[in-house]
């Protein structure tokens, strides 16, 4: 099956009983057993639910993985990876340009549980190699990164992980499997906030994992059931509904991102544009090699810093000032005080998340409307 066909059909055969072409929403917490010890494969919906299972099978197919797992949020999925696979004294090497909530989970939760974490330059595999220790069990990378859209070499990290008998987890939220399939490049675990492009309509919070090996899957699945942060059947169904149109949406997001990035690149009020589709982006060649496209996220730096940003956000009409990304509507966000507020200021500035930085999620509206909106908002 080709990718676009999997989006519609993977995990979602017509319902055997009624022929319903959509998977029913199995709104139930428990299942009748025919006799003691004789269930029909379903016992209790924390452990398993058919609507959730359809979503889990779907993400596995999309990511060229064997196994899929669904969670109540992206961070719940991340927690299950760390909690299910690591123990006190284990070491994680993570890229330094990360979603703020991932950083917070590492620093404010798992460090207290005795996990050791160090950070490497997301753009430089040698920096990951140097950070490896004897107790390193996991490499964690996000590519393209949030919010600076730098590109990490997945093949190179997979090699480093293998050599050190560690696992490689890749947060594929920004690219989605439409543009990038890290397991095909050597990764072991794929992490998604399905709240973003997979759900695609800014109406549901969710997280997904795609996992290559059985042993890893079983450990994380054990944690999923033991800790219990599963999505309800409605949320699983909404996410499946979103996924069906992923290919048409991602093309439209990317089209608009190119229009927006091109416009911003020539603008006097803008000092820097971050979009991997631009030839001037330092990760462009690597992105062209490991991805099938460049996605819908564009960040840029305003010359006028915080004051310019305040005026810019006030004037926007089509873009909405909001956290999150990946929905059909265009969003604009101010990472310094929003998505990345959890990172201490010094650390934030060191990473390039300045007071002039703006992150855009290009929606699927008409590109002229988006460019005109930016044009108006950038008149100071
Ligand atoms: C949003 C996001 C997360 C966290 O997901 P939630 O669904 O909000 O818990 C993780 N990684 C990236 C890249 C994200 O954008």
């Amino acid at each position: 099956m080709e990718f676009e066909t999997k989006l519609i059909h993977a995990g979602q055969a017509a319902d055997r009983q009624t022929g319903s072409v959509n998977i029913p929403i199995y709104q139930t917490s428990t299942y009748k057993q025919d006799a003691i010890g004789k269930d029909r494969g379903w016992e209790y919906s924390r452990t398993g639910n058919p609507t959730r299972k359809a979503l889990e099978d779907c993400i596995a197919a999309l990511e060229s993985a064997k196994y899929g797992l669904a969670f109540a949020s992206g961070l719940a999925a991340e927690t299950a990876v760390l909690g299910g696979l690591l123990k006190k004294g284990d070491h994680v090497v993570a890229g330094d340009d990360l979603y703020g909530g991932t950083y917070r989970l590492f620093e404010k939760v798992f460090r207290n549980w005795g996990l050791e974490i160090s950070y490497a330059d997301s753009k430089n595999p040698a920096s990951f190699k140097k950070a490896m220790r004897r107790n390193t069990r996991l490499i964690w990378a996000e590519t393209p990164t949030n919010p600076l859209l730098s590109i990490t070499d997945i093949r190179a990290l997979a090699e480093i992980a293998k050599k050190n008998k560690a696992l490689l987890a890749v947060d594929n939220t920004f690219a989605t499997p439409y543009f990038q399939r890290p397991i095909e490049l050597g990764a072991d675990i794929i992490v998604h906030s399905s709240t973003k492009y997979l759900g695609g309509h800014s109406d549901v919070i969710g997280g997904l994992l795609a996992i290559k090996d059985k042993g890893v899957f079983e450990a994380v699945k054990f944690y999923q059931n033991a800790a219990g942060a599963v999505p309800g059947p409605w949320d699983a169904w909404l996410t499946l509904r979103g996924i069906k149109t992923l290919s048409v949406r991602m093309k439209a997001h990317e089209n608009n991102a190119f229009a927006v990035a091109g416009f911003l690149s020539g603008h006097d009020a803008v000092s820097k544009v971050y979009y991997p589709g631009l030839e001037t982006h330092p990760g462009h060649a690597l992105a062209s090699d490991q991805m099938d496209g460049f996605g819908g996220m564009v960040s840029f730096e305003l010359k006028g810093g915080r004051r310019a940003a305040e005026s810019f956000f006030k004037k926007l009409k089509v873009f909405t000032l909001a956290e999150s990304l990946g929905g059909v509507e265009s969003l604009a966000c101010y990472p310094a005080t929003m998505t990345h507020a959890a990172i201490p200021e010094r650390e934030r500035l060191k990473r390039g998340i300045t007071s002039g930085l703006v992150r855009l999620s290009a929606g699927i509206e008409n590109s002229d409307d988006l460019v005109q909106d930016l044009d108006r908002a950038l008149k100071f």
Side-chain angles (χ1 to χ4, degrees):
M1 242 189 246
E2 294 301 319
F3 189 82
E4 291 79 359
T5 314
K6 285 186 198 168
L7 289 172
I8 317 290
H9 296 291
Q12 305 173 74
D15 180 51
R16 244 185 288 159
Q17 206 165 11
T18 62
S20 163
V21 295
N22 285 302
I23 178 90
I25 300 164
Y26 284 91
Q27 191 70 46
T28 188
S29 61
T30 191
Y31 306 82
K32 177 180 187 284
Q33 307 199 5
D34 296 325
I36 292 176
K38 234 181 132 192
D39 59 52
R40 306 180 196 178
W42 307 98
E43 306 154 2
Y44 186 63
S45 280
R46 170 165 31 73
T47 313
N49 174 286
T51 315
R52 188 175 100 214
K53 180 71 163 57
L55 175 59
E56 293 177 331
D57 290 348
C58 185
I59 191 63
L62 298 181
E63 287 285 9
S64 304
K66 238 178 154 157
Y67 306 96
L69 286 171
F71 293 86
S73 71
L75 285 173
E78 296 184 14
T79 301
V81 171
L82 301 169
L85 296 172
L86 305 177
K87 58 183 190 319
K88 191 176 164 190
D90 285 348
H91 178 237
V92 180
V93 177
D96 60 359
D97 193 8
L98 285 178
Y99 175 69
T102 304
Y103 179 81
R104 181 176 57 202
L105 183 66
F106 282 148
E107 290 300 316
K108 303 276 164 133
V109 179
F110 279 97
R111 205 179 273 286
N112 294 337
W113 290 10
L115 220 58
E116 297 172 19
I117 303 130
S118 34
Y119 298 92
D121 178 359
S122 293
K123 300 178 284 299
N124 182 7
S127 164
F128 282 83
K129 198 169 175 182
K130 218 174 107 197
M132 298 298 285
R133 301 183 194 156
R134 231 175 325 171
N135 58 338
T136 307
R137 300 275 173 268
L138 183 69
I139 297 180
W140 187 284
E142 199 181 303
T143 183
T145 63
N146 178 11
L148 296 177
L149 300 153
S150 47
I151 307 294
T152 306
D153 189 334
I154 297 172
R155 283 191 193 90
L157 293 199
E159 208 166 288
I160 296 166
K162 197 169 278 167
K163 221 172 248 166
N164 290 267
K165 295 196 167 60
L167 295 167
L168 172 61
V170 175
D171 185 332
N172 202 26
T173 298
F174 270 35
T176 82
Y178 181 72
F179 284 131
Q180 174 172 272
R181 288 162 307 282
I183 284 186
E184 294 176 5
L185 304 169
D188 301 286
I189 301 162
I190 309 303
V191 183
H192 279 288
S193 169
S194 53
T195 311
K196 316 295 168 54
Y197 286 109
L198 293 175
H201 298 73
S202 306
D203 53 11
V204 60
I205 299 280
L208 295 171
L209 298 177
I211 297 174
K212 187 161 71 178
D213 292 330
K214 193 168 182 207
V216 175
F217 166 73
E218 281 173 350
V220 181
K221 164 89 187 151
F222 175 86
Y223 188 96
Q224 183 198 43
N225 183 50
V230 294
W234 265 99
D235 286 1
W237 186 89
L238 268 176
T239 306
L240 277 169
R241 179 181 161 120
I243 284 174
K244 285 178 203 285
T245 54
L246 185 72
S247 68
V248 285
R249 283 187 289 109
M250 290 317 287
K251 264 180 250 176
H253 284 300
E254 184 180 52
N255 243 356
N256 283 350
F258 265 110
V260 162
F263 168 76
L264 291 170
S265 294
H267 202 285
D268 277 347
V270 174
S271 57
K272 219 169 183 181
V273 180
Y274 301 91
Y275 183 61
L278 297 175
E279 274 171 39
T280 49
H281 187 284
H284 178 70
L286 179 57
S288 308
D289 180 45
Q290 71 182 13
M291 301 174 74
D292 298 328
F294 305 100
M297 299 299 296
V298 178
S299 293
F300 67 99
E301 175 120 14
L302 282 165
K303 278 183 191 161
R306 168 102 190 209
R307 275 178 67 186
E310 270 168 21
S311 150
F312 168 79
F313 284 113
K314 230 177 252 159
K315 288 191 205 140
L316 288 174
K317 288 195 175 130
V318 182
F319 281 87
T320 302
L321 172 60
E323 301 215 7
S324 202
L325 59 107
V328 290
E329 64 287 296
S330 290
L331 300 179
C333 136
Y334 188 59
T337 62
M338 294 166 72
T339 49
H340 290 67
I343 303 178
E345 189 183 3
R346 222 185 56 203
E347 201 48 42
R348 193 158 44 68
L349 291 174
K350 212 172 84 193
R351 293 169 190 213
I353 304 166
T354 62
S355 57
L357 189 75
V358 174
R359 189 190 76 183
L360 301 177
S361 171
I364 64 169
E365 302 94 334
N366 184 287
S367 61
D368 292 343
D369 286 328
L370 299 186
V371 167
Q372 276 165 28
D373 198 37
L374 295 175
D375 189 32
R376 185 175 44 235
L378 287 171
K379 290 202 168 90
F380 297 116

